[in-house]
Amino acid sequence: MDHAAFRALAPLCWRAPSAHNTQPWRLRYEPGAIHVGWDPAHTLPAADPTGRDLRLSLGAFVESCLIVAADAGLRLEYVAEYDERHHRVGRLRPAPHRYPTPFRIADVWQRRTDRGTFAAAGPEQATLATLDAVARQAGGGVRAVPDPDRLGVLLRAADRRVYGDPTVVAELRRWLRLSPTHPDYHADGLNDSCLALSRPAATGLRAALAAYPVLRPLGLPRLLAAADDPLARGGAVLVLVGPADLDRPGQVEFGRVLLRVWLALHTAGLAAHPLSQLIDVAVTRTALGALLDVAPDRLLHVTRVGRPTRPAPRSARRLDTV
């Protein structure tokens, strides 16, 4: 197995998405295989207590590896070997053929999260059908949320719950990079540019969160929830629905589906802005499931989708050396 060839491609694989841009995946090179696992220090036990977002991001990383390797001419396949105790999901090994995929290295490299303004209401019906077909191949689906007014109420409620939890806010502060002087500004986390914050807005948020213990009882969570309305920036909200009774290894596999959906959006000229808080909070997850007539535990990912009005900044990566 040509480890050197794959190591040269690794920075491209690191363009996979992850919650708070934690980049939790890790590779271990051994004779005949490359093991894929995760670093517990780069997970979100408060914001992602079930590990759903972690496993989706690991699956997205696996899919990125396979796409990048295939486009570079490397013949690799993925073998799932989920092991919670040893923080492993599986391994990449030599295969007789290249991984079959319609996507290219350029798609993986250019895809990015976009929290800015979208020009249109959302994807056309033909695009929605394409996205749904991608998910249906794995037993899931993609659904558009039909009631934007109701959705706005749910989003504000979810934000208030998130900002009202001191452990979640402390974890968020750990991954925020609101000034270029932050030592990890170019490595990982959520920086001011990718959050679409002006310098005064970033400074204000940093000050508010620093004073969180004092200001929380005075209504800071409600103020923070009301400070931003991503739905006002256009687009439609789509939900990735998984099969019933999806187990933890199955969530990793569905992370691969998630990346294929995002890359299909990208190739259609669209961008995505995750709104995971809608399903991170139990009350709003239940309400969203009722709105879609889908069991709440089948809701895996929520994202605002539309056509960007300008290119989004590229988020930081620890191995972004290309």
Side-chain angles (χ1 to χ4, degrees):
M1 186 169 184
D2 192 345
H3 285 174
F6 189 83
R7 284 181 185 272
L9 299 169
L12 296 164
C13 304
W14 249 254
R15 294 308 310 174
S18 59
H20 287 9
N21 191 26
T22 53
Q23 304 165 53
W25 40 77
R26 296 294 182 269
L27 297 174
R28 190 177 78 250
Y29 295 81
E30 294 186 356
I34 303 170
H35 292 264
V36 183
W38 72 91
D39 181 350
H42 287 257
T43 62
L44 303 170
D48 182 32
T50 68
R52 180 199 68 235
D53 284 337
L54 168 66
R55 289 182 284 275
L56 289 175
S57 68
L58 289 165
F61 177 72
V62 167
E63 189 71 9
S64 294
C65 290
L66 291 170
I67 293 169
V68 168
D71 196 25
L74 301 183
R75 293 176 294 185
L76 293 180
E77 63 183 2
Y78 171 68
V79 179
E81 297 171 337
Y82 188 82
D83 185 336
E84 188 90 23
R85 180 183 174 189
H86 294 98
H87 311 122
R88 274 199 314 261
V89 296
R91 57 195 166 98
L92 301 166
R93 69 181 185 187
H97 306 287
R98 282 191 288 180
Y99 176 62
T101 174
F103 303 115
R104 310 291 299 272
I105 286 175
D107 299 320
V108 173
W109 175 251
Q110 293 169 4
R111 182 217 62 82
R112 58 192 73 177
T113 296
D114 192 330
R115 296 174 175 83
T117 300
F118 295 155
E124 299 176 350
Q125 285 300 317
T127 303
L128 281 174
T130 298
L131 301 177
D132 187 55
V134 171
R136 284 189 180 278
Q137 291 176 355
V142 172
R143 302 281 298 275
V145 180
D147 188 342
D149 291 334
R150 175 62 176 155
L151 185 65
V153 172
L154 294 180
L155 185 59
R156 288 189 292 276
D159 281 337
R160 286 196 298 271
R161 290 291 186 96
V162 168
Y163 285 123
D165 187 329
T167 59
V168 173
V169 170
E171 195 172 70
L172 174 63
R173 287 185 63 192
R174 179 190 169 202
W175 291 101
L176 284 175
R177 318 296 188 226
L178 297 178
S179 167
T181 61
H182 193 288
D184 293 321
Y185 188 86
H186 298 290
D188 54 21
L190 300 168
N191 65 36
D192 52 349
S193 178
C194 287
L195 289 172
L197 295 175
S198 66
R199 185 58 56 81
T203 301
L205 178 59
R206 190 166 66 248
L209 293 179
Y212 180 84
V214 174
L215 297 179
R216 175 174 171 263
L218 303 178
L220 180 61
R222 184 176 294 273
L223 290 176
L224 290 174
D228 181 39
D229 181 10
L231 302 182
R233 295 197 290 276
V237 174
L238 306 183
V239 180
L240 178 65
V241 179
D245 303 319
L246 196 66
D247 61 9
R248 293 184 174 192
Q251 289 179 350
V252 175
E253 286 301 310
F254 231 79
R256 298 176 60 187
V257 177
L258 173 61
L259 186 73
R260 293 197 288 270
V261 168
W262 272 34
L263 292 180
L265 283 169
H266 168 74
T267 57
L270 301 167
H273 168 196
L275 300 172
S276 297
Q277 62 268 50
L278 282 163
I279 55 175
D280 289 338
V281 174
V283 172
T284 55
R285 181 175 66 245
T286 298
L288 183 59
L291 196 59
L292 296 171
D293 194 24
V294 173
D297 62 352
R298 295 184 61 195
L299 307 181
L300 295 181
H301 185 75
V302 184
T303 187
R304 181 175 66 98
V305 172
R307 195 169 300 278
T309 58
R310 63 183 65 183
R314 195 184 302 279
S315 54
R317 288 297 186 276
R318 281 191 299 277
L319 292 185
D320 194 347
T321 59
V322 175

